[in-house]
């Protein structure tokens, strides 16, 4: 059992190696990289490739580690008790299973995605150390210990918004997804748009990588944004000469809203174009 990518996901050799190493070591795979480089999608494709169910836990700034284990609804139990309902006698009726509980007790090995772990409080990773290491946790309300039947394949994504604790990092196999080079990007485009004209791809990639090279950009366009931009170009049937001409006095590419996501970057390119026009006079 090894991951080699899928028909819809281009995985580089080093990424395949990282996934398979984490599976062999039975360690969580911690994946970092620029937003839009396919970190979340990786878990979906690993599950698809290996034929395993996927359980996703998307982390927010308010998410607590305990929610991944279970939550006890004491208020509902108290209300039902006051109403004389029989369900109140069994405390297990008021325990909601979290994503880790689901993954631990699944009938078969699953892929568990803990997505954007750096969004949570700094203590969040530390609060999951024992659970991810020993693959078990204790339910205080019932006195039961929930232990993984089959150790899940754990993939953890991070956008590097916060530094993760050393103790947490020691328990993970780490991989940084480098931004795709031109050859890899061509393969990605071909996966999304089979049979697309190669000249159109080359011209689009020229503009895309030129924009990424502009110093001072607040947010560089990502892989997913390139895919969206090409979709618009194909949908609007923009003539190839619009991309081929590459008028350097017009730094803003057509349909730039798919590539640039804030006004500062748009204004930056407009200023560069204005400066270039002045130099040519």
């Amino acid at each position: 059992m090894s991951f080699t990518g899928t028909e819809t996901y281009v995985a580089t050799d080093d990424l395949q190696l990282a996934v398979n190493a984490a599976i062999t070591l039975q360690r969580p795979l911690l994946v970092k990289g620029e937003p839009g480089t396919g970190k979340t999608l990786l878990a979906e494709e690993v599950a698809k490739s290996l034929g395993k169910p996927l359980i996703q836990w998307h982390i927010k700034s308010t998410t607590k580690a305990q929610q991944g284990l279970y939550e006890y609804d004491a208020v509902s139990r108290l209300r039902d008790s006051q109403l004389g309902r029989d369900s109140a006698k069994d405390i297990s009726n008021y325990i909601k299973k979290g994503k880790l509980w689901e993954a631990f007790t699944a009938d078969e090995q699953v892929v568990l995605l803990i997505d954007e772990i750096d969004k949570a409080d700094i203590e969040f990773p530390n609060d999951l150390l024992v659970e991810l290491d020993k693959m078990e946790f204790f339910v205080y309300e019932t006195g039961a210990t929930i232990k993984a039947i089959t150790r899940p394949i754990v993939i953890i994504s991070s956008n590097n918004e916060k530094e993760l604790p050393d103790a947490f990092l020691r328990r993970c196999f780490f991989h940084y997804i480098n931004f795709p080079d031109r050859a890899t990007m061509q393969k990605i485009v071909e996966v999304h748009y089979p049979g697309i004209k190669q000249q159109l791809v080359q011209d689009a990639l020229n503009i895309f990588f030129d924009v990424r090279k502009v110093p001072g950009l607040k947010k560089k366009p990502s892989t997913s944004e390139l895919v969206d931009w090409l979709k618009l170009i194909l949908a609007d049937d923009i003539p190839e000469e619009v991309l081929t001409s590459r008028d350097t006095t017009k730094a803003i590419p057509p349909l730039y809203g798919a590539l640039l996501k804030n006004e500062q970057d748009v204004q930056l390119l407009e200023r560069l174009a204005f400066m270039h026009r002045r130099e040519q006079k």
Side-chain angles (χ1 to χ4, degrees):
M1 180 181 67
S2 62
F3 174 67
T4 57
T6 67
E7 292 181 357
T8 57
Y9 188 89
V10 177
T12 58
D13 291 342
D14 58 342
L15 178 56
Q16 295 177 34
L17 185 64
V19 171
N20 293 320
I23 294 173
T24 300
L25 292 173
Q26 295 188 326
R27 296 271 187 181
L29 173 63
L30 174 61
V31 183
K32 292 185 180 182
E34 284 186 34
T37 50
K39 299 185 297 296
T40 300
L41 190 58
L42 173 64
E44 299 176 16
E45 297 301 323
V46 168
K48 184 192 300 183
S49 173
L50 303 180
K52 298 184 180 299
L54 173 66
I55 294 177
Q56 303 185 57
W57 185 17
H58 298 288
I59 307 303
K60 301 178 181 178
S61 59
T62 55
T63 304
K64 302 298 180 184
Q66 180 64 33
Q67 294 172 311
L69 308 179
Y70 68 92
E71 292 181 273
Y72 170 49
D73 190 352
V75 174
S76 293
R77 189 185 184 205
L78 176 61
R79 183 189 64 236
D80 289 349
S81 177
Q82 291 171 336
L83 293 173
R85 293 173 176 166
D86 290 338
S87 59
K89 297 176 182 178
D90 187 355
I91 196 170
S92 63
N93 291 327
Y94 302 91
I95 291 179
K96 179 183 177 182
K97 298 178 181 179
K99 297 297 184 181
L100 266 71
W101 189 327
E102 290 180 26
F104 287 3
T105 57
D107 294 333
E108 59 179 306
Q109 186 182 43
V110 303
V111 174
L112 171 64
L113 169 65
I114 303 177
D115 194 28
E116 297 190 331
I117 194 172
D118 52 324
K119 279 188 176 180
D121 183 85
I122 189 62
E123 291 303 319
F124 181 93
N126 280 334
D127 291 341
L128 290 177
L129 287 180
V130 174
E131 289 77 10
L132 290 176
D133 197 22
K134 294 188 176 181
M135 287 289 158
E136 65 179 45
F137 61 89
F138 185 71
V139 182
Y140 293 94
E141 289 77 7
T142 64
T145 297
I146 306 301
K147 190 169 184 177
I149 300 171
T150 303
R151 193 179 186 96
I153 298 170
V154 182
I155 297 177
I156 304 171
S157 74
S158 169
N159 285 326
N160 244 354
E161 292 180 9
K162 293 190 188 85
E163 287 296 325
L164 299 175
D166 288 346
F168 178 79
L169 295 174
R170 282 198 302 271
R171 289 164 168 81
C172 298
F173 188 93
F174 171 75
H175 181 73
Y176 185 88
I177 298 181
N178 290 308
F179 194 82
D181 59 21
R182 191 182 182 99
T184 302
M185 194 66 82
Q186 283 184 247
K187 293 178 183 177
I188 293 172
V189 170
E190 183 64 32
V191 162
H192 285 85
Y193 305 111
I196 188 173
K197 292 181 181 179
Q198 287 306 303
Q199 188 57 53
L200 175 64
V201 173
Q202 296 304 320
D203 295 335
L205 287 179
N206 286 339
I207 294 175
F208 175 76
F209 280 107
D210 282 349
V211 170
R212 280 186 57 88
K213 290 176 185 175
V214 173
L217 277 185
K218 188 173 181 181
K219 182 193 177 304
K220 294 180 180 180
S222 67
T223 307
S224 60
E225 287 156 348
L226 170 64
V227 171
D228 288 344
W229 185 50
L230 279 170
K231 182 177 181 179
L232 287 175
I233 289 173
L234 293 171
D236 286 7
D237 199 21
I238 291 180
E240 286 187 32
E241 55 267 22
V242 172
L243 299 180
T244 308
S245 62
R246 304 294 316 285
D247 186 349
T248 54
T249 64
K250 298 177 181 178
I252 305 296
L255 301 168
Y256 67 84
L259 295 176
L260 304 174
K261 297 304 174 74
N262 60 71
E263 63 278 13
Q264 295 98 319
D265 289 346
V266 174
Q267 291 167 2
L268 173 60
L269 291 189
E270 288 175 340
R271 285 197 302 271
L272 290 174
F274 174 73
M275 292 170 61
H276 189 79
R277 286 195 296 270
R278 289 189 60 182
E279 290 172 0
Q280 288 186 333
K281 289 181 179 179

mmCIF file of all heavy atoms in Angstrom, residues 64-97:
data_model
loop_
_atom_site.group_PDB
_atom_site.id
_atom_site.type_symbol
_atom_site.label_atom_id
_atom_site.label_comp_id
_atom_site.label_asym_id
_atom_site.label_seq_id
_atom_site.Cartn_x
_atom_site.Cartn_y
_atom_site.Cartn_z
ATOM 1 N N LYS A 64 -11.521 23.949 19.989
ATOM 2 C CA LYS A 64 -10.755 23.403 21.110
ATOM 3 C C LYS A 64 -10.434 21.940 20.840
ATOM 4 O O LYS A 64 -11.206 21.230 20.182
ATOM 5 C CB LYS A 64 -11.546 23.529 22.422
ATOM 6 C CG LYS A 64 -11.937 24.958 22.771
ATOM 7 C CD LYS A 64 -10.718 25.838 22.974
ATOM 8 C CE LYS A 64 -11.103 27.269 23.321
ATOM 9 N NZ LYS A 64 -9.916 28.162 23.418
ATOM 10 N N ALA A 65 -9.301 21.492 21.372
ATOM 11 C CA ALA A 65 -8.877 20.111 21.147
ATOM 12 C C ALA A 65 -9.922 19.117 21.652
ATOM 13 O O ALA A 65 -10.144 18.067 21.043
ATOM 14 C CB ALA A 65 -7.535 19.868 21.832
ATOM 15 N N GLN A 66 -10.578 19.447 22.753
ATOM 16 C CA GLN A 66 -11.573 18.547 23.342
ATOM 17 C C GLN A 66 -12.690 18.217 22.359
ATOM 18 O O GLN A 66 -13.236 17.110 22.369
ATOM 19 C CB GLN A 66 -12.165 19.190 24.609
ATOM 20 C CG GLN A 66 -13.219 18.359 25.326
ATOM 21 C CD GLN A 66 -12.660 17.047 25.876
ATOM 22 O OE1 GLN A 66 -11.498 16.986 26.277
ATOM 23 N NE2 GLN A 66 -13.470 16.014 25.901
ATOM 24 N N GLN A 67 -13.005 19.172 21.467
ATOM 25 C CA GLN A 67 -14.080 18.942 20.503
ATOM 26 C C GLN A 67 -13.735 17.820 19.533
ATOM 27 O O GLN A 67 -14.629 17.192 18.969
ATOM 28 C CB GLN A 67 -14.364 20.239 19.734
ATOM 29 C CG GLN A 67 -14.934 21.346 20.605
ATOM 30 C CD GLN A 67 -15.018 22.673 19.876
ATOM 31 O OE1 GLN A 67 -14.046 23.103 19.252
ATOM 32 N NE2 GLN A 67 -16.163 23.329 19.937
ATOM 33 N N GLY A 68 -12.451 17.585 19.312
ATOM 34 C CA GLY A 68 -12.047 16.489 18.446
ATOM 35 C C GLY A 68 -12.221 15.139 19.108
ATOM 36 O O GLY A 68 -12.296 14.116 18.420
ATOM 37 N N LEU A 69 -12.263 15.120 20.436
ATOM 38 C CA LEU A 69 -12.465 13.877 21.179
ATOM 39 C C LEU A 69 -13.953 13.635 21.384
ATOM 40 O O LEU A 69 -14.522 12.708 20.843
ATOM 41 C CB LEU A 69 -11.734 13.946 22.525
ATOM 42 C CG LEU A 69 -10.251 14.331 22.472
ATOM 43 C CD1 LEU A 69 -9.664 14.392 23.867
ATOM 44 C CD2 LEU A 69 -9.480 13.350 21.596
ATOM 45 N N TYR A 70 -14.565 14.486 22.192
ATOM 46 C CA TYR A 70 -16.006 14.390 22.428
ATOM 47 C C TYR A 70 -16.467 15.650 23.146
ATOM 48 O O TYR A 70 -15.664 16.409 23.692
ATOM 49 C CB TYR A 70 -16.357 13.152 23.266
ATOM 50 C CG TYR A 70 -15.871 13.209 24.693
ATOM 51 C CD1 TYR A 70 -16.683 13.708 25.721
ATOM 52 C CD2 TYR A 70 -14.596 12.777 25.033
ATOM 53 C CE1 TYR A 70 -16.228 13.773 27.034
ATOM 54 C CE2 TYR A 70 -14.134 12.831 26.341
ATOM 55 C CZ TYR A 70 -14.958 13.336 27.335
ATOM 56 O OH TYR A 70 -14.508 13.402 28.632
ATOM 57 N N GLU A 71 -17.785 15.862 23.156
ATOM 58 C CA GLU A 71 -18.381 16.948 23.918
ATOM 59 C C GLU A 71 -19.542 16.395 24.741
ATOM 60 O O GLU A 71 -20.325 15.582 24.243
ATOM 61 C CB GLU A 71 -18.876 18.047 22.983
ATOM 62 C CG GLU A 71 -17.761 18.801 22.254
ATOM 63 C CD GLU A 71 -18.283 19.904 21.360
ATOM 64 O OE1 GLU A 71 -18.611 19.602 20.187
ATOM 65 O OE2 GLU A 71 -18.379 21.042 21.832
ATOM 66 N N TYR A 72 -19.620 16.836 25.971
ATOM 67 C CA TYR A 72 -20.683 16.390 26.885
ATOM 68 C C TYR A 72 -21.709 17.501 27.019
ATOM 69 O O TYR A 72 -21.387 18.617 27.425
ATOM 70 C CB TYR A 72 -20.089 16.032 28.248
ATOM 71 C CG TYR A 72 -21.118 15.782 29.332
ATOM 72 C CD1 TYR A 72 -22.200 14.931 29.122
ATOM 73 C CD2 TYR A 72 -21.003 16.404 30.582
ATOM 74 C CE1 TYR A 72 -23.145 14.702 30.110
ATOM 75 C CE2 TYR A 72 -21.932 16.176 31.577
ATOM 76 C CZ TYR A 72 -23.006 15.333 31.341
ATOM 77 O OH TYR A 72 -23.939 15.109 32.328
ATOM 78 N N ASP A 73 -22.963 17.201 26.672
ATOM 79 C CA ASP A 73 -24.044 18.191 26.719
ATOM 80 C C ASP A 73 -24.768 18.084 28.060
ATOM 81 O O ASP A 73 -25.820 17.447 28.176
ATOM 82 C CB ASP A 73 -25.003 17.963 25.559
ATOM 83 C CG ASP A 73 -26.004 19.091 25.389
ATOM 84 O OD1 ASP A 73 -26.052 19.971 26.271
ATOM 85 O OD2 ASP A 73 -26.740 19.093 24.382
ATOM 86 N N ALA A 74 -24.181 18.708 29.069
ATOM 87 C CA ALA A 74 -24.753 18.643 30.421
ATOM 88 C C ALA A 74 -26.089 19.383 30.503
ATOM 89 O O ALA A 74 -26.988 18.991 31.270
ATOM 90 C CB ALA A 74 -23.766 19.230 31.423
ATOM 91 N N VAL A 75 -26.247 20.443 29.732
ATOM 92 C CA VAL A 75 -27.481 21.242 29.776
ATOM 93 C C VAL A 75 -28.671 20.425 29.307
ATOM 94 O O VAL A 75 -29.738 20.426 29.935
ATOM 95 C CB VAL A 75 -27.315 22.516 28.916
ATOM 96 C CG1 VAL A 75 -28.637 23.279 28.845
ATOM 97 C CG2 VAL A 75 -26.218 23.407 29.479
ATOM 98 N N SER A 76 -28.494 19.692 28.195
ATOM 99 C CA SER A 76 -29.591 18.870 27.664
ATOM 100 C C SER A 76 -29.952 17.755 28.642
ATOM 101 O O SER A 76 -31.137 17.438 28.831
ATOM 102 C CB SER A 76 -29.210 18.265 26.315
ATOM 103 O OG SER A 76 -29.092 19.260 25.339
ATOM 104 N N ARG A 77 -28.956 17.188 29.285
ATOM 105 C CA ARG A 77 -29.228 16.110 30.243
ATOM 106 C C ARG A 77 -29.995 16.649 31.444
ATOM 107 O O ARG A 77 -30.931 15.994 31.935
ATOM 108 C CB ARG A 77 -27.919 15.468 30.707
ATOM 109 C CG ARG A 77 -28.176 14.202 31.525
ATOM 110 C CD ARG A 77 -26.923 13.634 32.090
ATOM 111 N NE ARG A 77 -27.210 12.385 32.789
ATOM 112 C CZ ARG A 77 -26.461 11.888 33.758
ATOM 113 N NH1 ARG A 77 -25.351 12.517 34.140
ATOM 114 N NH2 ARG A 77 -26.787 10.755 34.339
ATOM 115 N N LEU A 78 -29.619 17.820 31.920
ATOM 116 C CA LEU A 78 -30.320 18.424 33.050
ATOM 117 C C LEU A 78 -31.765 18.729 32.683
ATOM 118 O O LEU A 78 -32.692 18.447 33.456
ATOM 119 C CB LEU A 78 -29.606 19.708 33.473
ATOM 120 C CG LEU A 78 -30.274 20.516 34.596
ATOM 121 C CD1 LEU A 78 -30.359 19.680 35.870
ATOM 122 C CD2 LEU A 78 -29.511 21.817 34.853
ATOM 123 N N ARG A 79 -31.984 19.247 31.492
ATOM 124 C CA ARG A 79 -33.337 19.563 31.044
ATOM 125 C C ARG A 79 -34.178 18.302 30.945
ATOM 126 O O ARG A 79 -35.324 18.253 31.418
ATOM 127 C CB ARG A 79 -33.277 20.263 29.689
ATOM 128 C CG ARG A 79 -34.642 20.694 29.154
ATOM 129 C CD ARG A 79 -34.557 21.180 27.731
ATOM 130 N NE ARG A 79 -34.146 20.107 26.838
ATOM 131 C CZ ARG A 79 -33.084 20.194 26.038
ATOM 132 N NH1 ARG A 79 -32.328 21.276 26.029
ATOM 133 N NH2 ARG A 79 -32.779 19.188 25.240
ATOM 134 N N ASP A 80 -33.611 17.237 30.346
ATOM 135 C CA ASP A 80 -34.345 15.983 30.201
ATOM 136 C C ASP A 80 -34.625 15.345 31.555
ATOM 137 O O ASP A 80 -35.669 14.712 31.755
ATOM 138 C CB ASP A 80 -33.554 15.006 29.317
ATOM 139 C CG ASP A 80 -33.541 15.445 27.859
ATOM 140 O OD1 ASP A 80 -34.309 16.361 27.505
ATOM 141 O OD2 ASP A 80 -32.761 14.866 27.082
ATOM 142 N N SER A 81 -33.692 15.522 32.474
ATOM 143 C CA SER A 81 -33.889 14.979 33.820
ATOM 144 C C SER A 81 -35.050 15.677 34.514
ATOM 145 O O SER A 81 -35.875 15.035 35.180
ATOM 146 C CB SER A 81 -32.611 15.137 34.637
ATOM 147 O OG SER A 81 -32.787 14.679 35.947
ATOM 148 N N GLN A 82 -35.121 16.993 34.338
ATOM 149 C CA GLN A 82 -36.212 17.765 34.948
ATOM 150 C C GLN A 82 -37.557 17.415 34.342
ATOM 151 O O GLN A 82 -38.595 17.492 35.008
ATOM 152 C CB GLN A 82 -35.927 19.261 34.780
ATOM 153 C CG GLN A 82 -34.745 19.750 35.598
ATOM 154 C CD GLN A 82 -34.344 21.172 35.270
ATOM 155 O OE1 GLN A 82 -34.627 21.668 34.171
ATOM 156 N NE2 GLN A 82 -33.671 21.844 36.206
ATOM 157 N N LEU A 83 -37.519 16.995 33.073
ATOM 158 C CA LEU A 83 -38.760 16.601 32.389
ATOM 159 C C LEU A 83 -39.106 15.134 32.630
ATOM 160 O O LEU A 83 -40.129 14.638 32.140
ATOM 161 C CB LEU A 83 -38.622 16.855 30.888
ATOM 162 C CG LEU A 83 -38.510 18.332 30.462
ATOM 163 C CD1 LEU A 83 -38.210 18.442 28.970
ATOM 164 C CD2 LEU A 83 -39.795 19.083 30.798
ATOM 165 N N GLY A 84 -38.240 14.422 33.364
ATOM 166 C CA GLY A 84 -38.507 13.034 33.706
ATOM 167 C C GLY A 84 -38.288 12.052 32.575
ATOM 168 O O GLY A 84 -38.846 10.952 32.581
ATOM 169 N N ARG A 85 -37.458 12.401 31.603
ATOM 170 C CA ARG A 85 -37.212 11.502 30.479
ATOM 171 C C ARG A 85 -36.211 10.420 30.865
ATOM 172 O O ARG A 85 -35.209 10.683 31.536
ATOM 173 C CB ARG A 85 -36.682 12.297 29.287
ATOM 174 C CG ARG A 85 -37.726 13.247 28.699
ATOM 175 C CD ARG A 85 -37.158 14.143 27.631
ATOM 176 N NE ARG A 85 -38.183 14.977 27.023
ATOM 177 C CZ ARG A 85 -37.956 16.033 26.260
ATOM 178 N NH1 ARG A 85 -36.682 16.374 26.013
ATOM 179 N NH2 ARG A 85 -38.939 16.741 25.755
ATOM 180 N N ASP A 86 -36.475 9.193 30.398
ATOM 181 C CA ASP A 86 -35.610 8.050 30.729
ATOM 182 C C ASP A 86 -34.204 8.205 30.158
ATOM 183 O O ASP A 86 -33.245 7.660 30.703
ATOM 184 C CB ASP A 86 -36.234 6.755 30.195
ATOM 185 C CG ASP A 86 -37.499 6.369 30.965
ATOM 186 O OD1 ASP A 86 -37.644 6.838 32.109
ATOM 187 O OD2 ASP A 86 -38.314 5.610 30.409
ATOM 188 N N SER A 87 -34.080 8.921 29.059
ATOM 189 C CA SER A 87 -32.763 9.077 28.418
ATOM 190 C C SER A 87 -31.754 9.744 29.349
ATOM 191 O O SER A 87 -30.549 9.531 29.215
ATOM 192 C CB SER A 87 -32.889 9.898 27.135
ATOM 193 O OG SER A 87 -33.438 11.181 27.406
ATOM 194 N N ALA A 88 -32.241 10.518 30.305
ATOM 195 C CA ALA A 88 -31.344 11.230 31.222
ATOM 196 C C ALA A 88 -30.576 10.280 32.137
ATOM 197 O O ALA A 88 -29.562 10.659 32.716
ATOM 198 C CB ALA A 88 -32.131 12.243 32.052
ATOM 199 N N LYS A 89 -31.073 9.044 32.270
ATOM 200 C CA LYS A 89 -30.411 8.077 33.155
ATOM 201 C C LYS A 89 -29.095 7.565 32.574
ATOM 202 O O LYS A 89 -28.234 7.097 33.315
ATOM 203 C CB LYS A 89 -31.346 6.897 33.415
ATOM 204 C CG LYS A 89 -32.638 7.277 34.154
ATOM 205 C CD LYS A 89 -33.567 6.082 34.300
ATOM 206 C CE LYS A 89 -34.862 6.492 34.987
ATOM 207 N NZ LYS A 89 -35.809 5.341 35.097
ATOM 208 N N ASP A 90 -28.973 7.623 31.269
ATOM 209 C CA ASP A 90 -27.755 7.138 30.601
ATOM 210 C C ASP A 90 -26.954 8.324 30.090
ATOM 211 O O ASP A 90 -27.338 8.974 29.120
ATOM 212 C CB ASP A 90 -28.137 6.209 29.446
ATOM 213 C CG ASP A 90 -26.914 5.543 28.814
ATOM 214 O OD1 ASP A 90 -25.778 5.881 29.207
ATOM 215 O OD2 ASP A 90 -27.105 4.710 27.909
ATOM 216 N N ILE A 91 -25.839 8.591 30.751
ATOM 217 C CA ILE A 91 -25.037 9.765 30.407
ATOM 218 C C ILE A 91 -24.463 9.698 28.993
ATOM 219 O O ILE A 91 -24.212 10.713 28.357
ATOM 220 C CB ILE A 91 -23.888 9.939 31.440
ATOM 221 C CG1 ILE A 91 -23.299 11.344 31.336
ATOM 222 C CG2 ILE A 91 -22.817 8.874 31.257
ATOM 223 C CD1 ILE A 91 -22.340 11.667 32.457
ATOM 224 N N SER A 92 -24.316 8.474 28.480
ATOM 225 C CA SER A 92 -23.743 8.319 27.142
ATOM 226 C C SER A 92 -24.641 8.915 26.054
ATOM 227 O O SER A 92 -24.173 9.202 24.951
ATOM 228 C CB SER A 92 -23.473 6.838 26.831
ATOM 229 O OG SER A 92 -24.678 6.108 26.815
ATOM 230 N N ASN A 93 -25.928 9.111 26.366
ATOM 231 C CA ASN A 93 -26.846 9.719 25.407
ATOM 232 C C ASN A 93 -26.513 11.183 25.153
ATOM 233 O O ASN A 93 -27.025 11.776 24.196
ATOM 234 C CB ASN A 93 -28.291 9.619 25.898
ATOM 235 C CG ASN A 93 -28.802 8.185 25.886
ATOM 236 O OD1 ASN A 93 -28.414 7.390 25.039
ATOM 237 N ND2 ASN A 93 -29.668 7.852 26.840
ATOM 238 N N TYR A 94 -25.682 11.758 25.992
ATOM 239 C CA TYR A 94 -25.392 13.190 25.911
ATOM 240 C C TYR A 94 -23.928 13.467 25.565
ATOM 241 O O TYR A 94 -23.438 14.558 25.752
ATOM 242 C CB TYR A 94 -25.785 13.870 27.224
ATOM 243 C CG TYR A 94 -27.242 13.640 27.530
ATOM 244 C CD1 TYR A 94 -27.634 12.532 28.300
ATOM 245 C CD2 TYR A 94 -28.226 14.460 26.999
ATOM 246 C CE1 TYR A 94 -28.968 12.282 28.544
ATOM 247 C CE2 TYR A 94 -29.571 14.221 27.243
ATOM 248 C CZ TYR A 94 -29.939 13.117 28.006
ATOM 249 O OH TYR A 94 -31.272 12.870 28.232
ATOM 250 N N ILE A 95 -23.280 12.442 25.083
ATOM 251 C CA ILE A 95 -21.894 12.598 24.662
ATOM 252 C C ILE A 95 -21.841 12.556 23.138
ATOM 253 O O ILE A 95 -22.254 11.575 22.511
ATOM 254 C CB ILE A 95 -21.000 11.507 25.271
ATOM 255 C CG1 ILE A 95 -20.890 11.745 26.783
ATOM 256 C CG2 ILE A 95 -19.617 11.515 24.620
ATOM 257 C CD1 ILE A 95 -20.068 10.733 27.519
ATOM 258 N N LYS A 96 -21.358 13.634 22.551
ATOM 259 C CA LYS A 96 -21.247 13.729 21.106
ATOM 260 C C LYS A 96 -19.823 13.374 20.694
ATOM 261 O O LYS A 96 -18.856 13.976 21.154
ATOM 262 C CB LYS A 96 -21.576 15.152 20.639
ATOM 263 C CG LYS A 96 -21.465 15.344 19.135
ATOM 264 C CD LYS A 96 -21.723 16.796 18.751
ATOM 265 C CE LYS A 96 -21.538 17.001 17.249
ATOM 266 N NZ LYS A 96 -21.734 18.430 16.863
ATOM 267 N N LYS A 97 -19.698 12.388 19.825
ATOM 268 C CA LYS A 97 -18.380 11.929 19.381
ATOM 269 C C LYS A 97 -17.714 12.973 18.484
ATOM 270 O O LYS A 97 -18.352 13.558 17.622
ATOM 271 C CB LYS A 97 -18.499 10.609 18.613
ATOM 272 C CG LYS A 97 -19.046 9.458 19.444
ATOM 273 C CD LYS A 97 -19.169 8.198 18.607
ATOM 274 C CE LYS A 97 -19.737 7.056 19.423
ATOM 275 N NZ LYS A 97 -19.881 5.808 18.618
#
